[in-house]
Amino acid sequence: MRLLALILGAVMTSIVVAKPSVEYLPVDADMDFSLTPPEAQLGWEPGDWRIQHPALVQYMYTLAEQSDRVSIKVTGHTYEQKPLLQVIITSPENQANLESLRQAHLEGANSGSSDAPLVVWLGYSVHGDEASGSNAAPIVAWYLAASQSDYVEALLDDTIVIIDPSLNPDGLDRFANWANSNASKNPVGDLNARIHRQDWPSGRTNHYLFDLNRDWLPLVHPESRARISEFHRWLPHVITDHHETGDDGFFFQPGVPTRQHPLTTAENLEMTRKLVPYHSASFDSAGEMYFTEDTYDDFYYGKGSTYPDINGSIGILYEQPRVNGAIMNRKSGQLTFTEAIHNHVRMSLSTLMGAYENRDEFKRYQAGFFRQMRQRAGKADFEAWVIGDGNDRVRALKLMDVFRRHQVEYLELADEIKIDGTTYKPGHAWVIPVNQRQFGLAQAMLETRTKFEDNTFYDVSAWNMAMAYNLPFAKLSRMPDTSNSGMTGQGIAPSADAVAWVISWQQLEAPALLQKLLDAKATVRVATRPFAMARGSESIGFTEGSLVILTGIQDEDKTEDILKILQQAAVDGIDVHSFNTQLSSNGPGLGTSHFKVLPEFKPLLIVGQGTRSYDAGEAWFQLDQNLGVAPVMTNLSRLKSIDLSDYSHLLMVDGRYSDIGNKEKRRIASWIESGGVLVAVQGAASWAESLCFDGNGCENNNGEENAKQEPVKDLAYGDFNDQRAQRTVGGAIVEALADPTHPIAWGYDRELSMFRRGSTLLKASENAFATPVRYAKDPLLSGYIGPQRLTEMDGQAAIIAERHGKGAVIRFANNPIFRGFWRGTEKLWFNALYFGPVIRSTELPK
């Protein structure tokens, strides 16, 4: 497709527009200039500046007001309350019948016969600092709304185009502010210039610094939940995912064929290839570099170009060479931001043309996909999965809500069953049948796989959702009896006249409740031993970590507030047990010293340059959203100027901390010995091993051992990629063994699933009681870990918690709050926060 310049100023009569400096629309576009072009409303040419989200939204509404081809729906809002827009462009006749056409399309996807239009979804800039996509969106929208060409009119008669102009508005604005405020009158292409090197945390991520292109499956964030809801409402035939890359040429899928997920159909790859001639013709005509079927994979179903592949759509990744400023000096020549924008325009239009000209094949593919999933289900050697609640109904219901949002069917277990030693009981277990339309996605969410055709992964290699929530699950050879009574999350309400209220720590929301109680100045005691309480003829057992609130020791003016907090907690699903005595039926009584008063929690979270922004965001999110803590975050560079005595905990996420000098390390060690708790993850855990206590000198210890140099074994140069893959742990699920008697493992059983990413190994403790969680022997449960890395971690410590003076250092080899959805291990981190201060000295007499 030839792309020629459009001279806008000579045609327009009602508004004045500058002549475009680049070509970006087909020669036969035949634009209706009564519809405002982007240049006219923005006041500058696309590419001169980075568009900010309010201007992007305003422009889309302008088009909707001017054109009966355009409608807009607000599908949700970001954390920063920016609207998430769904811009639908189709013929006026289709707009008038949009809902009936949508229903007909969905029916056709199931039946295989439909006269409903093709549905193509264009999604731009899920990474906010890959902004050329969102900057292209107004041009694409204007072209579709204003073109009077026969082609576009025919296209819109038979196609519903859904434009998501900004998948990540918060990140888009953060980057636009950076790029615009660092822009010079004379553009700088030197990559050493400030404009090409964003400050921490960059604009890639959302408000809480999460990568939204990893959240399509976990659905942690409002942007993702809104998008998935609309995805399933529309079930597009084709969905695009517009990004930027560090490569010199533009990439479009397919990726490396051997790195496609095995559950994705072979037909999906062939349908993706159907569009390649359209992309290549467009880029050849423009003289732009491009490549395909190289570098990128199509494996993790939590990404925007891969999730559609297991849902009957064709997801396509596009990667434009990144230009952070107005220009960039690259190896193959200078590239402008304007060119980057128009490459995404070209790719959007070639996608529409290719999908339109092959529309019957795309429709047949989608209907055939769901038939194929039914056939695959019929050949499965089992009939259902069962998932138990692990003694935590709310945690299981949270997972069921994820399945619901993905349209995966589930039912309640009606009769008790026992599988591999685990008992699943009615009211505490759910059944996911194999025989369902979404079998492929259910399989993707629950499979365990350790063998792969290609061991190179762009992202994680495993994500079993039941394991992520640390819930028992199993395959069933026969479909069990089920019901659909509608289990709720209502908990046991507290009695107002109780002597004691007891809350099991095994419950997902118990930490948030504890924080509310501490904020209300309640005196909360934690059990350090198991115990049981009688209620009539029933004896109710509680494990270590259970919370006890004795009404008699609370301040009189606080009791009513405490009761209200507990009553609301029951509404939210927490069981609050009430007892009229402090006497236990087994184990220590509630008034004994085996119940420790929990101190105020005042954390200081280290963020900024040197810390890994993803991990910092995950910690921030947990504190702010899940615990309700007002997080004090400070840049690592300011740590030395802060009075640590104002805080109970120092939280250090993965990062590089070698710039912290010995004087500062001595100050931190002294603060710990005075009662502070250091919680350190991965890189921070390795750094924490350099801290010195009891006056021991470690002046030259930076947390790195001086290893003896061994001769390097020669390897074939051509084997580099494979050897690197074997040494890279991008993300796998491993088995760990916990000590449930240790405060860090309170609320857990002996075995649990953990997420392993990276190769951090903790320096072993000399204290035999200081390793609450250890990796199992031969620990791999799902995903890929190379033989060397697997051998290294075999039986090694996953968490070490050591007492130093009155305080403690708690080291994590891996991040237990990974991406906000690894909810089964988040309590290990919470335990470090709330129970770190009650870890006692365990030095044996010499």
Side-chain angles (χ1 to χ4, degrees):
M1 182 169 51
R2 298 190 327 163
L3 301 178
L4 302 175
L6 277 179
I7 309 301
L8 303 182
V11 182
M12 301 191 60
T13 56
S14 58
I15 54 176
V16 177
V17 183
K19 176 181 176 180
S21 59
V22 296
E23 52 186 49
Y24 56 75
L25 294 179
V27 64
D28 62 349
D30 190 17
M31 304 301 289
D32 176 0
F33 291 103
S34 66
L35 273 64
T36 306
E39 297 91 331
Q41 182 156 314
L42 296 175
W44 38 267
E45 294 283 340
D48 288 353
W49 300 93
R50 263 65 178 178
I51 195 168
Q52 294 179 308
H53 192 254
L56 183 58
V57 169
Q58 184 182 25
Y59 181 73
M60 293 300 177
Y61 273 106
T62 295
L63 279 185
E65 291 169 1
Q66 295 176 348
S67 173
D68 55 4
R69 293 179 179 177
V70 184
S71 63
I72 293 178
K73 176 181 178 180
V74 175
T75 63
H77 290 82
T78 70
Y79 290 110
E80 297 176 14
Q81 293 306 297
K82 295 182 176 71
L84 299 166
L85 294 194
Q86 180 186 81
V87 181
I88 295 182
I89 305 180
T90 188
S91 69
E93 293 76 17
N94 289 344
Q95 286 285 1
N97 299 284
L98 208 54
E99 180 58 22
S100 62
L101 291 173
R102 185 184 71 83
Q103 293 286 355
H105 159 58
L106 295 181
E107 291 171 7
N110 290 319
S111 67
S113 61
S114 174
D115 294 328
L118 178 78
V119 180
V120 179
W121 179 313
L122 306 176
Y124 298 100
S125 300
V126 69
H127 296 143
D129 60 357
E130 298 174 7
S132 54
S134 286
N135 281 264
I139 300 172
V140 175
W142 179 58
Y143 169 69
L144 294 174
S147 175
Q148 301 171 101
S149 71
D150 292 341
Y151 161 69
V152 170
E153 289 186 354
L155 170 73
L156 297 183
D157 280 342
D158 290 328
T159 309
I160 295 172
V161 181
I162 300 173
I163 294 179
D164 192 330
S166 173
L167 292 157
N168 178 11
D170 294 347
L172 183 75
D173 275 359
R174 188 160 66 245
F175 176 67
N177 289 334
W178 167 266
N180 291 341
S181 63
N182 284 283
S184 301
K185 177 182 178 182
N186 298 297
V188 180
D190 189 327
L191 294 183
N192 290 315
R194 176 175 167 82
I195 195 169
H196 295 291
R197 304 289 177 182
Q198 297 175 70
D199 281 350
W200 192 98
S202 87
R204 177 182 177 89
T205 48
N206 77 342
H207 175 79
Y208 282 104
L209 312 186
F210 279 68
D211 186 337
L212 291 177
N213 199 40
R214 305 296 184 269
D215 196 43
W216 284 68
L217 205 60
L219 301 182
V220 173
H221 301 287
E223 299 94 334
S224 305
R225 293 192 291 268
R227 186 188 331 113
I228 288 298
S229 175
E230 290 303 310
F231 174 88
H232 287 291
R233 281 189 74 250
W234 279 104
L235 198 61
H237 297 96
V238 177
I239 181 168
T240 67
D241 188 19
H242 294 254
H243 287 257
E244 292 179 0
T245 177
D247 291 309
D248 259 14
F250 193 109
F251 167 81
F252 49 82
Q253 280 184 323
V256 179
T258 58
R259 291 167 60 188
Q260 178 171 285
H261 197 286
L263 293 180
T264 301
T265 66
E267 292 82 358
N268 180 281
L269 178 62
E270 294 310 311
M271 292 305 297
T272 306
R273 285 173 171 158
K274 288 281 185 184
L275 300 180
V276 169
Y278 297 88
H279 304 329
S280 60
S282 177
F283 270 55
D284 286 338
S285 176
E288 292 288 338
M289 289 176 56
Y290 63 87
F291 66 100
T292 187
E293 300 203 20
D294 200 346
T295 306
Y296 295 89
D297 70 10
D298 207 9
F299 191 83
Y300 172 46
Y301 288 121
K303 295 194 297 184
S305 57
T306 312
Y307 179 84
D309 295 346
I310 198 65
N311 283 277
S313 300
I314 303 297
I316 308 178
L317 172 68
Y318 297 137
E319 295 274 1
Q320 160 65 38
R322 178 178 298 180
V323 187
N324 280 357
I327 59 174
M328 177 189 73
N329 296 338
R330 58 176 175 170
K331 295 176 182 177
S332 57
Q334 193 173 83
L335 180 68
T336 70
F337 184 54
T338 300
E339 289 176 291
I341 292 172
H342 294 108
N343 281 342
H344 276 306
V345 173
R346 292 182 181 101
M347 197 56 60
S348 300
L349 301 191
S350 64
T351 300
L352 289 171
M353 178 173 284
Y356 172 67
E357 292 189 355
N358 294 276
R359 57 192 178 279
D360 291 338
E361 289 187 66
F362 279 103
K363 291 179 184 180
R364 282 195 297 270
Y365 166 79
Q366 188 170 78
F369 173 87
F370 291 110
R371 284 197 303 271
Q372 187 171 344
M373 290 303 104
R374 292 281 190 183
Q375 293 168 359
R376 183 184 289 181
K379 296 177 181 178
D381 59 356
F382 63 105
E383 292 189 357
W385 293 272
V386 62
I387 300 177
D389 69 2
N391 298 316
D392 185 359
R393 180 178 58 253
V394 171
R395 178 159 36 110
L397 286 172
K398 293 281 189 183
L399 176 56
M400 292 304 113
D401 183 62
V402 175
F403 282 116
R404 177 189 64 80
R405 291 177 185 274
H406 288 300
Q407 309 286 303
V408 174
E409 300 169 21
Y410 60 88
L411 298 163
E412 298 165 20
L413 183 68
D415 295 321
E416 182 176 306
I417 58 175
K418 190 171 184 178
I419 305 291
D420 297 330
T422 300
T423 300
Y424 298 88
K425 298 180 179 180
H428 298 275
W430 292 259
V431 175
I432 298 177
V434 163
N435 185 21
Q436 63 167 293
R437 180 174 177 271
Q438 286 291 77
F439 169 67
L441 181 58
Q443 191 177 19
M445 295 173 76
L446 290 170
E447 75 162 358
T448 55
R449 182 186 299 269
T450 57
K451 302 295 182 183
F452 306 90
E453 180 181 359
D454 192 320
N455 293 329
T456 301
F457 300 91
Y458 190 79
D459 196 67
V460 299
S461 60
W463 52 85
N464 182 291
M465 296 301 289
M467 289 180 171
Y469 281 69
N470 198 35
L471 294 173
F473 76 104
K475 291 179 178 179
L476 304 178
S477 59
R478 293 288 181 269
M479 184 71 183
D481 291 335
T482 59
S483 66
N484 199 11
S485 61
M487 249 187 272
T488 67
Q490 185 78 28
I492 299 172
S495 298
D497 57 354
V499 169
W501 294 302
V502 182
I503 299 138
S504 168
W505 190 247
Q506 291 177 309
Q507 302 176 94
L508 181 74
E509 303 294 349
L513 173 58
L514 171 58
Q515 185 58 45
K516 289 186 178 74
L517 292 168
L518 293 177
D519 287 343
K521 306 302 180 185
T523 299
V524 183
R525 302 166 80 230
V526 61
T528 62
R529 291 187 181 180
F531 64 101
M533 300 292 291
R535 181 184 292 142
S537 60
E538 180 185 15
S539 182
I540 304 174
F542 296 93
T543 63
E544 299 95 332
S546 297
L547 306 178
V548 175
I549 302 100
L550 299 177
T551 57
I553 66 172
Q554 308 300 322
D555 292 343
E556 289 186 10
D557 61 338
K558 303 294 184 185
T559 304
E560 184 176 347
D561 290 340
I562 293 170
L563 178 59
K564 288 180 179 178
I565 291 171
L566 295 175
Q567 288 171 335
Q568 182 58 50
V571 171
D572 295 337
I574 296 180
D575 290 335
V576 181
H577 297 273
S578 303
F579 300 100
N580 292 320
T581 180
Q582 295 182 40
L583 296 174
S584 65
S585 58
N586 192 26
L590 304 187
T592 68
S593 60
H594 296 297
F595 295 83
K596 303 297 183 183
V597 175
L598 291 173
E600 183 181 16
F601 173 51
K602 294 180 62 179
L604 179 66
L605 174 61
I606 304 302
V607 299
Q609 199 66 41
T611 67
R612 191 170 187 266
S613 61
Y614 290 164
D615 296 56
E618 288 156 8
W620 176 22
F621 177 82
Q622 291 291 347
L623 293 171
D624 198 31
Q625 289 288 329
N626 286 348
L627 292 180
V629 173
V632 179
M633 298 186 291
T634 191
N635 286 341
L636 175 59
S637 60
R638 290 202 66 250
L639 178 60
K640 61 186 177 184
S641 64
I642 291 175
D643 185 351
L644 294 179
S645 65
D646 291 338
Y647 303 96
S648 62
H649 290 65
L650 185 60
L651 309 182
M652 301 177 74
V653 302
D654 189 21
R656 298 174 181 269
Y657 296 90
S658 56
D659 288 344
I660 297 178
N662 289 319
K663 180 179 179 181
E664 182 62 15
K665 289 198 288 188
R666 286 193 295 269
R667 187 174 77 99
I668 293 172
S670 176
W671 169 79
I672 292 168
E673 291 177 319
S674 298
V677 176
L678 170 63
V679 181
V681 179
Q682 284 188 270
S686 298
W687 170 86
E689 293 166 0
S690 70
L691 292 175
C692 303
F693 299 93
D694 302 323
N696 294 327
C698 297
E699 298 302 318
N700 297 315
N701 186 354
N702 290 315
E704 298 177 359
E705 298 289 339
N706 291 320
K708 181 181 177 181
Q709 289 288 342
E710 296 290 341
V712 176
K713 179 182 177 181
D714 290 341
L715 297 171
Y717 180 83
D719 291 341
F720 171 75
N721 287 339
D722 181 63
Q723 291 295 323
R724 180 175 59 181
Q726 291 189 36
R727 289 163 173 76
T728 300
V729 185
I733 303 171
V734 297
E735 182 182 6
L737 302 176
D739 173 6
T741 69
H742 194 288
I744 300 303
W746 283 348
Y748 285 92
D749 296 326
R750 174 65 171 159
E751 298 177 356
L752 72 152
S753 302
M754 298 188 75
F755 195 77
R756 175 71 170 168
R757 185 178 177 91
S759 56
T760 300
L761 296 173
L762 300 180
K763 181 180 179 181
S765 174
E766 296 179 0
N767 187 321
F769 304 95
T771 306
V773 183
R774 188 179 292 277
Y775 297 119
K777 297 287 185 180
D778 191 20
L780 184 63
L781 295 174
S782 186
Y784 177 75
I785 299 178
Q788 177 180 328
R789 296 303 187 200
L790 200 57
T791 300
E792 287 174 350
M793 64 177 291
D794 193 331
Q796 295 298 306
I799 305 174
I800 293 176
E802 296 173 305
R803 177 90 175 193
H804 293 284
K806 297 179 181 179
V809 176
I810 303 164
R811 294 179 281 136
F812 288 82
N814 276 104
N815 183 4
I817 52 176
F818 179 71
R819 290 183 179 168
F821 84 95
W822 211 260
R823 307 218 64 179
T825 55
E826 69 183 19
K827 196 169 289 180
L828 294 169
W829 196 67
F830 294 159
N831 288 354
L833 306 187
Y834 292 108
F835 302 150
V838 303
I839 296 173
R840 62 189 178 120
S841 175
T842 51
E843 293 291 334
L844 292 173
K846 294 182 179 179

